[in-house]
Amino acid sequence: MLSLKQIQQLLNHDIEQNHQVIINQLSSDVVLINQISHYIIHSGGKRLRPLLLMLVARALAYKGQAHTKAAAIIEFIHTATLLHDDVVDESALRRGKDTANNVFGNAASVLTGDFLYSRAFQMMVELDQMKIMQILANATNKIAEGEVLQLLNCNNPDITETQYMEVIYCKTAKLFEAACDVASIIADAPTSTQHALRQYGIHLGNAFQIADDVLDYTADSNTLGKNIGDDLAEGKVTLPVIYALQGSLDKEKALIREAIEQGHHPEMDKIIQIINQSGAIEYATQKAQQSAKLAIEALIVLSDSVYKDALISLAHIAVERTH
């Protein structure tokens, strides 16, 4: 299996070009926009979504350079969602650093997120492919729906696994799916291949998000870059919590429900321990692994190559990472 660093080295030229596109497109006459955009773009993220788009394009034997601009569009959309997310969640930390809203304020963060969304759509127009615009416009809309769904589900201990999966599809998997879809179009892949790669993106996104939700209860806070149990403290009901609610004793179940309904609970350490001892971590991890397996199976449509190997490795990395 390739490591993330090895995958990045494989695409070193593409990544450099993508980085340059990002830097060029961040330019604004408004100094504060430049400051906030650069702050979050350079805050240590893996840039997994643009990497995914460029990998799929190369796995389809694409020889051009349009994929590096398309990958920048994907990154701008993702970055805009992070800026808005942190304001909604009142988050203070992301990737071990102060969030942009914590440094620059909520209003500036929201408006810079709007700038990144609008810049992404300007770049879509430059690609001059209506199908790509349609995919990314639909994805952006679906992500916004996911944000609202998550807001509605907040502090509700009766959220089901089906409802949870709907939210993570909208919030996370949809952009993974869009990255694969756009790469397929740029590479002029057959319809059947496009469909299979969309499935890869969906399952990879699901695996990534479920694993992320597991890490909120199992990782080291310094490695994770945020406080353990932050999701529960914000009233978010994720898969480990849903499972723990089903399998815990009534007294423990009542405590978890209180934490969901109230947010920051005085017995948070005890509640995290209950979740860890309930089998919820093992259950959620298994679900993430199943999604990763489905993602890998979808790659059967690709010819063997080092890029296909990298996509397979990416599915493993999604569930085996520590942050």
Side-chain angles (χ1 to χ4, degrees):
M1 186 182 96
L2 297 172
S3 68
L4 184 59
K5 187 173 181 180
Q6 288 172 322
I7 295 171
Q8 290 167 335
Q9 288 171 344
L10 175 66
L11 283 180
N12 188 50
H13 177 71
D14 286 349
I15 289 171
E16 284 181 4
Q17 288 227 333
N18 172 249
H19 181 70
Q20 194 56 53
V21 172
I22 288 172
I23 296 301
N24 293 343
Q25 293 292 336
L26 281 178
S27 179
S28 168
D29 293 334
V30 180
V31 175
L32 185 58
I33 288 176
N34 288 329
Q35 289 176 334
I36 299 175
S37 298
H38 281 275
Y39 181 85
I40 191 165
I41 286 285
H42 294 94
S43 62
K46 304 178 190 71
R47 291 196 184 166
L48 197 58
R49 292 150 188 83
L51 181 70
L52 173 60
L53 190 153
M54 293 185 290
L55 262 183
V56 170
R58 292 308 190 196
L60 292 167
Y62 177 66
K63 303 297 184 186
Q65 292 301 321
H67 65 316
T68 59
K69 177 176 276 192
I73 295 170
I74 289 284
E75 182 65 5
F76 280 7
I77 292 171
H78 175 58
T79 303
T81 67
L82 298 186
L83 283 164
H84 290 171
D85 267 359
D86 287 340
V87 171
V88 172
D89 296 339
E90 299 178 1
S91 300
L93 278 179
R94 181 179 287 278
R95 300 164 182 162
K97 289 181 64 176
D98 289 336
T99 53
N101 55 298
N102 206 21
V103 176
F104 301 98
N106 287 340
S109 290
V110 169
L111 295 172
T112 302
D114 293 345
F115 168 81
L116 289 174
Y117 272 134
S118 57
R119 179 53 53 89
F121 277 86
Q122 286 178 323
M123 294 166 68
M124 285 179 221
V125 173
E126 290 172 10
L127 286 177
D128 197 24
Q129 290 201 50
M130 184 57 72
K131 184 64 178 173
I132 290 176
M133 285 193 70
Q134 182 183 18
I135 290 164
L136 293 175
N138 289 343
T140 304
N141 187 257
K142 186 60 71 175
I143 292 166
E145 286 184 347
E147 297 288 353
V148 176
L149 269 179
Q150 182 168 271
L151 190 63
L152 290 172
N153 292 348
C154 209
N155 304 113
N156 181 0
D158 298 315
I159 296 302
T160 65
E161 186 173 324
T162 300
Q163 289 172 306
Y164 163 80
M165 292 303 297
E166 183 183 5
V167 169
I168 70 167
Y169 168 68
C170 294
K171 275 181 57 70
T172 303
K174 185 63 184 178
L175 198 55
F176 280 75
E177 176 190 15
C180 294
D181 212 3
V182 169
S184 299
I185 289 167
I186 287 173
D188 199 23
T191 303
S192 58
T193 302
Q194 287 182 31
H195 175 76
L197 290 171
R198 280 198 296 272
Q199 294 305 304
Y200 171 82
I202 292 168
H203 294 307
L204 178 67
N206 285 341
F208 182 88
Q209 188 58 58
I210 295 169
D212 206 57
D213 292 341
V214 168
L215 287 173
D216 196 59
Y217 294 97
T218 61
D220 171 75
S221 58
N222 292 324
T223 305
L224 189 59
K226 63 176 186 176
N227 297 318
I228 300 303
D230 264 3
D231 285 347
L232 189 58
E234 293 165 4
K236 291 180 184 175
V237 183
T238 57
L239 191 56
V241 178
I242 292 168
Y243 184 89
L245 275 170
Q246 293 170 350
S248 300
L249 299 172
D250 287 346
K251 187 178 178 181
E252 295 172 336
K253 194 179 294 185
L255 205 55
I256 297 171
R257 289 181 71 91
E258 275 181 22
I260 295 167
E261 290 168 348
Q262 296 174 15
H264 295 272
H265 196 281
E267 294 188 74
M268 191 62 78
D269 288 344
K270 181 179 179 181
I271 293 164
I272 290 171
Q273 186 178 23
I274 291 168
I275 291 168
N276 274 285
Q277 292 175 349
S278 69
I281 303 306
E282 292 77 9
Y283 175 78
T285 299
Q286 185 181 36
K287 284 289 185 179
Q289 290 168 344
Q290 287 171 358
S291 291
K293 183 173 182 288
L294 289 170
I296 292 167
E297 288 172 357
L299 295 176
I300 194 170
V301 296
L302 294 178
S303 302
D304 288 343
S305 71
V306 66
Y307 300 109
K308 179 179 178 178
D309 293 341
L311 288 168
I312 292 169
S313 297
L314 212 53
H316 290 295
I317 290 166
V319 295
E320 292 170 11
R321 62 202 168 90
T322 56
H323 64 283

